[in-house]
Structure formats: structure tokens, C-alpha cells
Amino acid sequence: MGPQTSYVDLLIIGAGPAGLVAAYWASEYGLDARVIDDKPDRVTKGHADGITCRTMEMFDSFGIAGHVYEEAALDYQIRYWRLNAEGRLDRAQSINSQAAGVSRFQQCLLSQGRIEELLEDRISRKGRLRVERDVETLGLTLHKRDDASAETHPVQVTVRQRGGGMGDENVEIVRAKYVIGADGAHSWTRRQLGLAMRGEQAPHVWGVIDLVAVTDFPDIRQTCVVCSEHGNLHVVPRERGMVRLYVQLDGVSLGAAGLRSEATLETILAAARKALHPFSLECARLDWWSVYQVGQRIADRFSVGGCVFLVGDAIHTHSPKVGQGMNVSMQDSYNLGWKVSGVLKRQLQPHVLETYETERRPVAESLIAVDQETVAFYAARGDHVATRDLQCFRERHYAFLSGVAIQWYDKGSALVYAPSAIELATGIHLGRRMPSYRVINYADARPTELARKLASDGRWAVILFAGDLRKAVQLRRLEETCAALVRSRLLRAPGSGKLVTITASPRDGLPLTGLPPLLYGGENGQDRDYDAVFSDEPDVYGAFTDVYAKCGVDGEKGCLVVCRPDQHVGFIGSLDDVPSLNTFFTGIFRDS
């Protein structure tokens, strides 16, 4: 008897952070999906740890940000140490780790294994999706897609469950409509597709250690860049009292070829102690250690055949210096997952999948460029160190490193409406993530973060900046807008859209029931929703956010803003311009 054949909408290969974010979208959309991983267990120690504020915003949209914050080490300040005029290691500079006001979340550090656990727990709540571990992938074949059949499963992946012998009874042929390869830098999926990684290997070798340190170095619980005559060191605080040390091994004796395989734990610790001299360093508890040589590469392509996609380290590799590996990898899946899911649910047209590479490749290219400069900065020695200014370096790259300035508009994405009237909301950037500000619930005066209404639930959000509704002419405009929205392409597709309204007038200026019923009655105008209309007014204690001013919206006229399921702004227009909104959605959504 031959291998059994099964059919699935989506197969995700790899259950690291990138694979699990893709799995989150699959569970949220209720897809028939599977997640397989060749390792018997999830990561428990080491690997990635940095979490940017934009990733925290994504976690918040998943409902796990609070759990991360409870355990993570928050990163508020960076210290720069180098030799002073007397040749002694001294603190030369202190800067903020994060620019003021960039996000309501602070960047932080928590182990990759714990992030994976939190994501997996969140996914399991839906009850349909679980990670299948210790599954070996044997072969991948792309069959010609029959465009006339929605049931076509063009990707064939042969797998075997380890631990049960080598017979056919443990081999399975999985036929999938789409496959996402999230299987790391040595991606099996990428190799099966015949895609190459282009780039170079930098001549820098670094050791990395997670430990509980006993030291008289005063900044051991802060992020530090230490540049000494004996080599450089990067100090990163971690959860549970640990610290991560990135130790430069260039120039350290590593055998005749200087290979990273020659490095030992003792080699790394000795180099760290030299870099920190005259401060002492002892290891009270060792958690994990490794050695890496810096390599910066990007894959030829991010997808093949319109049905197999790669995310994360499978398409870009770099050093861990910029703290972006896990973040950018998860953001790849955050960008791709809702698009694949929307296509599989027959909400979105298949061509939207082309936007994955057009939107994410520039991010990968920028990442490599920033990483190259960062590695050179951290590896500088001797006279070069005196000319290095950490503040200038961070300011030059912070917008990218934080993740909040990633923008799709300038690449002409089909999912960002280029004719948008961006002048109507000068504080909102078309193609960037929608900023969150505190608004006041119209029904009960409760302060609420706008982002809470943009949770990653698969729906597009139409944000109506309704303006000052105490004026009859503005209320009539809003009523006309609502009448047009009822007939719009978005609201005709059940479960695809949600409305969020923010007035520039106070709650007492017009009762909730004086507003168009569509705004507080759900999609069908019948079920009351007391959590969909908000006012830009002070809270009951007098604190005023002034959302209209921050978003650059005229309080007299208002405007209409549309956020994609990944919280990026896809459209900006006037309240009267629902026809343009329909044009935008006509190019995205399938016919009902």
C-alpha cells in the first residue's frame, strides 16, 4: 500500500516565528491549514531576542502584547563605551533607545522560544490548527494549475513522520493550494525551488553568549556598545536577569583558517573579559552560546508559480547586530498571510499576491544595507572609534529599525490607492501603518486606543473622520457617505470590513442615536455596537489627545481612511469620495 494523500488549502513549512505568524492568519481566517516542522521541539534557548515597537504593535493586534511585556526586558537607553584620553574604558555617550512618541510600545527583549510559545498558544485557541513536529520533508513538486477549478492543489509535498520507522505507512503526500516556506536560512523549500541566495560573507566572526553575569561593569543591565583596544562587545539585557554578549572575535586566534568552528566557549569568554578590562566578568549561569560569521544575502525571488512563497531567513540573511532578524521575518508573514488567506477564502483576487514581493523586497534590501553599515560601526577599532557617534548613527537608521516607517506607497502597490487625497490627512502616511491615538468612546466616555479597533481579524477598517457633527451640513455629508457605504463593494462582502467613526464634535453635541444607524448598528444596521463610534474630546479628567490635529485632518471637513488587515493605510479620501473607494476595492475583491 502506497503513501496516503491528503489535501489542504495552505501548508506552512517551518514553525519558527515567521511560520507561526502565517499560521495566526490561517487560524483567524478559519483555513484548512497545516504547520509542519522538522525539529522535535520548539526552540527553548538562544536565537533571536530583539522586539521592535512595530512588532509589539503587531503582537497587540494578536492579543499577546501584554504577555510579552510581563516577561521581557524593556530597552530604554543605549550606552556607548570607548577608551578615554588616558586609555581607560569610559562611558562616552548615552542615548534613548527609542525616539519619543514613535509608538505606544517600547522596544524590548525576550527569547525566541518564548515568542514561539505565546504565538502557538494564541493559535491553538481557535482549536483547528496545531504544529506537527518531527516531520521530515522529502520532496516538492509543482503541478500545472487548472485555473478553471477552485479545487486545484498544484503543490505536492511528500513528508514523513519520524520516529515510526521508514516504511510507506509513515510517508504522506500533501497536496496544497498554497505553500509558505518559513524554514530558515538553510531553507529546504528554497532549495527545492532552485532559488539562489545572492550576497557576500563579511570577514567578521562574532561569538554570542546568554548568561547571568557577575561583574562590576556598571551598565550590565542596559544595552551597550563597548569599543576597546582588545576588541568590541555588544551588551544586551535579557529576561530573568540574563544578559546577552556579542563578542568580536576578529583577530582572536581561531586556528590557521580563522574559522568560526574553531571558537569555543572559553575563547568567547576570554575575548569578552579582555574587551571589558579593567572591569571583571564571571559567569554565574550559562544559558546558551554560539558563533557566527556575518553573511548578508537575499534570495533571487520570494515566490515561484504564484503558489509557493518564502518568508523570513529563507529569503534574507544578515547579522543579528541590528536586532531585526525575528522582527523582519515575522513582518514578512504578517504582510503575506492575510493576502493568501483572503485569496483562499475567495474574498481577494489572486493578483494581490504579487504585492508580497513588491512590498517586502525593498525592506529586505534596506535591511542588508543597514546591516552592512551596522557591522562596520560595531567592528571599528583604533583611531576609527574616536570619530564614531552613536547618536548620529542611530538617528540615521532609526525610522527603519523601529519598523514604523515601512511604507508601500512609493513602490506602487496594488493594495495602496495611488490617487488618494493624502492632503486631507497630513499626519497619516499612505502606505504606512496607521498610528494609534487615544479616543473617547461615544457611548460611555471610556478612553480607548484606536489600534484596538484595528485588531488583526482579517477585516479591512474604514475610519470615518466625521468632522464637527454639530453643523447640519456636516451631518448631512456623513449621512450621504453612509448611504453610499451601504452599497459599497467592501460592505457587500460579508465579514470583510468594519467601520470606525471619530467625530471632531463632543459627545454631548449630538446623541449616539442622532448619528446614521450604520455607524453603530453593525453591517446590517440592526445589532447595536457601542464600541464603534468615538469622539476627539478630552477625557473626563481633562486630558486631551487632539487626534484630528495629530492626524492632520480638518475638523470641519473630516475625511475617510482605509486600513488593510495588516494596519497599513491603503486609501485616503474625502467623505464624498466613496466612488473612488469602490474603484479601489473593485481592483482587489472578487465578485460576490
Side-chain angles (χ1 to χ4, degrees):
M1 184 171 136
Q4 179 182 1
T5 299
S6 60
Y7 294 83
V8 68
D9 286 343
L10 174 65
L11 177 66
I12 300 168
I13 302 175
L20 291 173
V21 169
Y24 168 86
W25 281 122
S27 67
E28 198 66 32
Y29 277 81
L31 299 182
D32 179 15
R34 291 175 64 179
V35 187
I36 61 174
D37 195 280
D38 63 350
K39 296 181 289 295
D41 298 295
R42 74 165 68 92
V43 166
T44 57
K45 296 181 179 180
H47 298 272
D49 60 356
I51 305 170
T52 66
C53 56
R54 176 58 188 143
T55 297
M56 284 300 302
E57 292 174 355
M58 181 188 75
F59 286 161
D60 184 55
S61 76
F62 290 175
I64 65 171
H67 298 291
V68 173
Y69 250 20
E70 285 176 4
E71 302 178 31
L74 302 187
D75 183 17
Y76 286 98
Q77 192 176 56
I78 302 176
R79 295 286 178 88
Y80 189 25
W81 288 72
R82 62 188 180 201
L83 299 180
N84 59 23
E86 289 74 38
R88 178 183 172 86
L89 197 62
D90 198 5
R91 185 189 296 134
Q93 201 171 14
S94 299
I95 68 170
N96 295 338
S97 297
Q98 186 167 304
V102 73
S103 173
R104 66 196 188 282
F105 289 104
Q106 186 70 27
Q107 64 188 44
C108 57
L109 301 109
L110 185 64
S111 69
Q112 175 179 324
R114 183 57 178 143
I115 294 299
E116 292 178 8
E117 186 176 16
L118 289 170
L119 285 170
E120 198 169 338
D121 288 348
R122 174 66 179 82
I123 293 164
S124 67
R125 293 180 202 169
K126 295 290 182 179
R128 296 189 56 180
L129 199 58
R130 64 178 181 85
V131 176
E132 303 170 44
R133 301 191 185 276
D134 210 14
V135 176
E136 180 184 9
T137 45
L138 303 176
L140 185 153
T141 304
L142 290 181
H143 295 279
K144 186 176 181 180
R145 183 187 291 274
D146 178 9
D147 291 329
S149 172
E151 301 302 319
T152 298
H153 295 70
V155 194
Q156 176 176 309
V157 181
T158 305
V159 303
R160 176 168 54 214
Q161 180 68 57
R162 292 195 183 105
M166 303 297 286
D168 284 348
E169 67 273 12
N170 297 304
V171 176
E172 180 186 3
I173 294 173
V174 182
R175 293 293 298 268
K177 294 179 181 178
Y178 291 95
V179 168
I180 295 177
D183 45 351
H186 303 290
S187 172
W188 174 88
T189 311
R190 186 186 66 234
R191 296 197 306 272
Q192 292 293 304
L193 297 173
L195 300 180
M197 296 286 280
R198 308 294 180 186
E200 58 186 21
Q201 190 94 340
H204 301 294
V205 179
W206 291 75
V208 55
I209 315 175
D210 288 342
L211 75 163
V212 174
V214 178
T215 178
D216 56 353
F217 180 63
D219 290 336
I220 197 65
R221 291 305 299 167
Q222 293 189 221
T223 299
C224 295
V225 178
V226 179
C227 296
S228 79
E229 61 182 333
H230 299 295
N232 297 334
L233 183 72
H234 192 184
V235 179
V236 181
R238 287 285 301 274
E239 72 277 10
R240 295 184 290 113
M242 287 194 303
V243 65
R244 171 165 289 187
L245 303 179
Y246 289 102
V247 187
Q248 186 178 10
L249 299 180
D250 304 359
V252 176
S253 178
L254 296 178
L259 299 176
R260 67 177 188 175
S261 59
E262 301 286 341
T264 65
L265 174 61
E266 290 70 27
T267 302
I268 302 170
L269 281 172
R273 290 182 178 117
K274 281 187 176 181
L276 273 181
H277 181 78
F279 301 105
S280 63
L281 174 66
E282 298 297 332
C283 177
R285 188 186 82 235
L286 176 70
D287 200 62
W288 176 81
W289 71 277
S290 185
V291 180
Y292 67 90
Q293 188 165 5
V294 176
Q296 293 140 339
R297 298 184 176 92
I298 302 180
D300 285 338
R301 295 162 62 190
F302 289 9
S303 66
V304 171
C307 52
V308 182
F309 297 85
L310 299 173
V311 295
D313 290 349
I315 48 174
H316 43 69
T317 61
H318 49 90
S319 83
K321 286 293 177 297
V322 286
Q324 293 294 303
M326 182 166 61
N327 294 280
V328 175
S329 294
M330 288 190 290
Q331 293 292 340
D332 286 343
S333 296
Y334 192 50
N335 180 283
L336 173 65
W338 65 272
K339 298 173 183 177
V340 170
S341 299
V343 170
L344 283 167
K345 295 297 284 187
R346 300 191 61 78
Q347 292 176 347
L348 301 177
Q349 299 176 32
H351 74 83
V352 303
L353 297 177
E354 299 170 7
T355 66
Y356 168 59
E357 182 159 352
T358 60
E359 291 184 346
R360 293 305 296 175
R361 177 172 285 276
V363 176
E365 291 171 347
S366 295
L367 174 62
I368 297 301
V370 173
D371 188 55
Q372 289 171 340
E373 188 172 346
T374 301
V375 169
F377 182 92
Y378 288 155
R381 293 194 188 189
D383 293 339
H384 296 290
V385 172
T387 64
R388 300 279 171 161
D389 187 294
L390 186 61
Q391 179 81 40
C392 293
F393 177 80
R394 292 281 297 181
E395 287 179 353
R396 187 161 62 253
H397 298 302
Y398 182 74
F400 174 81
L401 295 176
S402 68
V404 300
I406 302 301
Q407 187 168 357
W408 312 136
Y409 172 66
D410 58 355
K411 294 301 177 183
S413 169
L415 292 172
V416 177
Y417 191 66
S420 286
I422 57 176
E423 72 280 356
L424 297 179
T426 56
I428 299 172
H429 297 277
L430 188 65
R432 288 191 191 178
R433 78 29 162 150
M434 179 71 188
S436 180
Y437 300 109
R438 194 178 67 163
V439 290
I440 306 301
N441 186 287
Y442 211 91
D444 60 15
R446 174 169 39 94
T448 303
E449 277 290 335
L450 176 59
R452 197 174 64 80
K453 303 303 299 179
L454 306 179
S456 297
D457 57 9
R459 292 183 293 170
W460 294 68
V462 178
I463 303 174
L464 297 173
F465 285 89
D468 189 345
L469 300 182
R470 291 170 298 185
K471 299 184 177 181
V473 63
Q474 188 64 14
L475 181 58
R476 283 196 300 272
R477 286 187 69 211
L478 181 62
E479 291 170 341
E480 291 168 359
T481 298
C482 289
L485 282 173
V486 168
R487 302 186 299 272
S488 71
R489 191 63 172 271
L490 180 67
L491 296 188
R492 288 207 314 266
S496 296
K498 52 190 171 185
L499 295 178
V500 181
T501 303
I502 306 172
T503 71
S505 47
R507 297 162 49 246
D508 291 340
L510 184 70
L512 181 66
T513 52
L515 301 176
L518 178 69
L519 303 182
Y520 58 87
E523 293 177 6
N524 59 14
Q526 296 176 7
D527 300 324
R528 286 289 175 94
D529 184 354
Y530 292 109
D531 199 28
V533 182
F534 304 90
S535 171
D536 182 18
E537 66 176 21
D539 66 17
V540 295
Y541 301 106
F544 184 38
T545 302
D546 202 1
V547 174
Y548 271 72
K550 285 182 167 58
C551 291
V553 177
D554 187 333
E556 298 292 321
K557 301 177 181 178
C559 73
L560 187 154
V561 175
V562 175
C563 291
R564 313 179 332 177
D566 61 0
Q567 301 180 331
H568 281 254
V569 177
F571 177 94
I572 300 174
S574 69
L575 292 176
D576 309 310
D577 204 11
V578 176
S580 291
L581 182 61
N582 279 328
T583 299
F584 176 44
F585 284 133
T586 297
I588 297 170
F589 284 96
R590 291 178 185 258
D591 291 332
S592 300

